[in-house]
């Protein structure tokens, strides 16, 4: 079945005009926003997804404007075939969530480490010009010292951050050894429209918004004073597009924080969301989550200097846009 699919893909590549951008995790939260931006710019996009967490609805109107393939990153042969003819790769595909990786480290390891390796091998063989990789702020762990700078060592706690760091190391290795240009973007808690809100592994922002809209009581794990550098998705899109085309001497083989450079606690975030949604219940607190990072705050000067990254959408504006989007999606009226 797989073999036939790969042959079909190869045949299509020969016949069709070749797409230049490959997005892995194309139907996912961040991948689909990148797709919107690239298609809007008139670029040609090929997208891969195994639809384990990605959703076809995220691609909506673009479904027929991109070259979409159902491929699992663990399928080395299919991934390599998909890389053929590509110039640039945006590697967003991963099995996210710290708690998921604590519960089932093998499955997330296979997607996040083996999958990233398969992608790099495919990109190297296909002579791709550059790969931009979705790395994670969780790499910094709980070491002292804020804001987080890329020069700090990594101290991953849970399997998920360890896997994402492994991906960074592979990215850097492929640059050093094979000259494949790679750039790692450490995302700091990206949020916005299309983040899965209803899974036990959902990011806190989407999860709380849906719970408040449905009149359910969100639970804050711990005392709620843990802080995050929550970053609206448009900022991550901007960072990817800039990093993809910046001078190689400024970015190749390097790691950059992508964030807003502000820390907001969960208690603050809860109050703001509750205000936007007219949710009047006080937060409830539960036990701390295993593998959780206490605080997260980025220094974003490296990305600003290397490729002119400046967050365009601040935290509160991002919250408003996100709530507005979910309200529309759920058909629930909010006070936005
Ligand atoms: C981590 C990474 C992030 C990455 C993400 C991928 C850090 C600092 N960030 O996010 O960059 O994109 O993994 O999955 O490591 N919480 C509650 N109640 C809930 C759900 C969550 O209180 O119902 C709390 C969590 O305990 C945590 C915070 O909200 O303290 C954020 O959790 P979550 O949204 O899952 O993201 P991180 O694990 O911080």
């Amino acid at each position: 079945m797989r073999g036939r699919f790969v042959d079909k893909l190869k045949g299509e590549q020969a016949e069709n005009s070749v797409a230049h951008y490959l997005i892995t995790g194309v139907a996912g939260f961040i991948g689909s926003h990148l797709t919107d931006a690239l298609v809007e710019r008139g670029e040609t996009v090929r997208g891969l997804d195994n639809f384990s967490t990605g959703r076809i609805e995220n691609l909506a109107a673009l479904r027929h404007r991109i070259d979409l393939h159902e491929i699992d990153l663990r399928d080395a042969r299919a991934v390599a075939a998909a890389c053929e003819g590509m110039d640039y790769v945006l590697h967003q595909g991963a099995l996210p969530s710290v708690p998921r990786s604590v519960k089932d480290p093998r499955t997330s390891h296979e997607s996040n480490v083996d999958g990233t390796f398969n992608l790099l091998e495919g990109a190297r063989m296909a002579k791709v010009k550059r790969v931009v990789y979705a790395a994670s702020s969780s790499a910094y762990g709980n070491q002292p010292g804020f804001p987080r700078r890329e020069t700090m060592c990594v101290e991953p706690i849970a399997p998920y951050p360890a896997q994402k760091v492994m991906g960074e190391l592979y990215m850097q290795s492929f640059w050093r050894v094979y000259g494949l240009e790679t750039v790692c973007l450490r995302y700091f808690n990206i949020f916005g429209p299309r983040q899965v809100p209803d899974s036990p592994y959902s990011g806190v922002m989407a999860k709380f918004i849906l719970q408040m809209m449905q009149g359910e009581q969100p639970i804050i794990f711990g005392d709620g004073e843990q802080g995050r550098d929550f970053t609206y998705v448009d900022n991550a899109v901007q960072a990817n597009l800039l990093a993809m085309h910046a001078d190689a001497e400024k970015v190749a083989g390097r790691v950059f924080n992508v964030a807003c450079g502000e820390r907001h606690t969960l208690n603050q975030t809860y109050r703001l969301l509750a205000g936007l949604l007219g949710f009047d219940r006080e937060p409830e607190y539960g036990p701390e989550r295993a593998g959780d990072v206490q605080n997260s705050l980025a220094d974003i000067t490296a990305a600003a200097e290397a490729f002119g990254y400046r967050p365009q959408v601040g935290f509160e504006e991002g919250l408003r846009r996100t709530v507005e989007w979910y309200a529309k999606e759920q058909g629930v009226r909010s006070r936005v």
Side-chain angles (χ1 to χ4, degrees):
M1 191 62 191
R2 284 272 175 220
R4 249 194 318 168
F5 176 74
V6 173
D7 293 342
K8 184 170 168 282
L9 179 59
K10 280 185 168 163
E12 280 172 7
Q13 273 176 220
E15 281 167 29
N16 297 343
S17 64
V18 176
H20 296 289
Y21 285 83
L22 176 68
I23 303 180
T24 68
V26 71
F29 162 46
I30 303 173
S32 66
H33 284 279
L34 282 166
T35 308
D36 288 349
L38 286 172
V39 170
E40 198 176 301
R41 279 171 31 163
E43 310 287 2
T44 322
V45 173
R46 171 175 294 160
L48 310 187
D49 213 295
N50 69 351
F51 296 99
S52 69
T53 60
R55 295 180 178 180
I56 192 74
E57 307 85 68
N58 287 343
L59 297 170
L62 300 183
R63 165 68 190 85
H64 299 290
R65 293 177 64 187
I66 65 168
D67 180 22
L68 178 64
H69 296 274
E70 185 170 348
I71 289 178
D72 193 305
L73 284 167
R74 293 169 292 189
D75 184 343
R77 223 176 132 224
V79 170
C83 286
E84 284 176 27
M86 295 295 107
D87 295 316
Y88 304 109
V89 177
L90 296 143
H91 180 38
Q92 308 300 306
L95 197 55
S97 168
V98 171
R100 186 200 319 255
S101 77
V102 172
K103 190 153 180 249
D104 178 10
R106 182 177 300 280
T107 307
S108 60
H109 173 93
E110 287 168 0
S111 294
N112 299 341
V113 180
D114 298 341
T116 295
F117 176 76
N118 290 340
L119 187 272
L120 277 170
E121 268 294 82
R124 172 169 84 94
M125 295 303 176
K127 301 199 170 14
V128 159
K129 291 185 185 130
R130 187 171 294 179
V131 178
V132 178
Y133 167 66
S136 172
S137 65
S138 55
Y140 293 108
N142 271 331
Q143 64 187 293
F146 291 95
R148 301 308 199 195
R149 294 198 175 86
E150 296 86 344
T151 46
M152 288 173 155
C153 62
V154 291
E155 286 191 18
I157 301 170
Y160 176 80
Q163 293 154 9
K164 280 285 164 180
V165 167
M166 193 67 203
E168 288 185 11
L169 295 175
Y170 261 129
M171 289 286 152
Q172 292 178 319
S173 163
F174 272 58
W175 159 242
R176 291 182 187 131
V177 174
Y178 306 114
L180 171 62
E181 291 177 16
T182 59
V183 189
C184 300
L185 302 181
R186 281 187 188 152
Y187 293 160
F188 280 66
N189 290 74
I190 311 298
F191 72 97
R194 302 183 192 151
Q195 198 168 18
V196 175
D198 55 359
S199 138
Y201 302 120
S202 290
V204 71
M205 201 72 89
K207 189 174 171 189
F208 278 11
I209 291 173
L210 186 67
Q211 287 174 325
M212 287 181 185
M213 281 180 174
Q214 295 181 336
E216 288 167 23
Q217 178 62 54
I219 306 294
I220 293 182
F221 302 144
D223 65 4
E225 285 307 297
Q226 65 266 48
R228 293 289 184 271
D229 197 336
F230 288 111
T231 302
Y232 189 67
V233 64
D234 285 13
N235 301 319
V237 169
Q238 183 213 142
N240 273 276
L241 301 184
L242 291 170
M244 188 57 88
H245 296 291
D247 292 344
E249 56 273 22
K250 290 189 176 159
V251 298
R254 291 187 61 192
V255 174
F256 298 96
N257 292 337
V258 172
C260 282
E262 288 173 18
R263 173 183 170 276
H264 300 273
T265 67
L266 271 196
N267 286 326
Q268 287 168 348
T269 306
Y270 182 101
R271 279 195 297 275
L272 284 167
L273 288 177
L276 287 168
L277 287 158
F279 185 82
D280 56 11
R281 306 225 294 264
E282 287 300 307
E284 277 184 24
Y285 295 89
E288 264 178 43
R289 201 174 67 180
D292 223 9
V293 158
Q294 183 57 29
N295 273 308
S296 182
L297 169 67
D299 182 324
I300 51 175
T301 48
E305 284 168 12
F307 50 88
Y309 167 73
R310 309 252 181 303
Q312 302 292 311
V313 182
F315 173 68
E316 292 199 23
E317 174 59 20
L319 281 191
R320 269 191 293 278
R321 291 189 192 185
T322 307
V323 165
E324 206 166 53
W325 185 86
Y326 282 101
K328 221 157 112 196
E329 274 293 289
Q330 299 294 319
V332 177
R333 289 189 58 192
S334 81
R335 289 195 199 152
V336 179

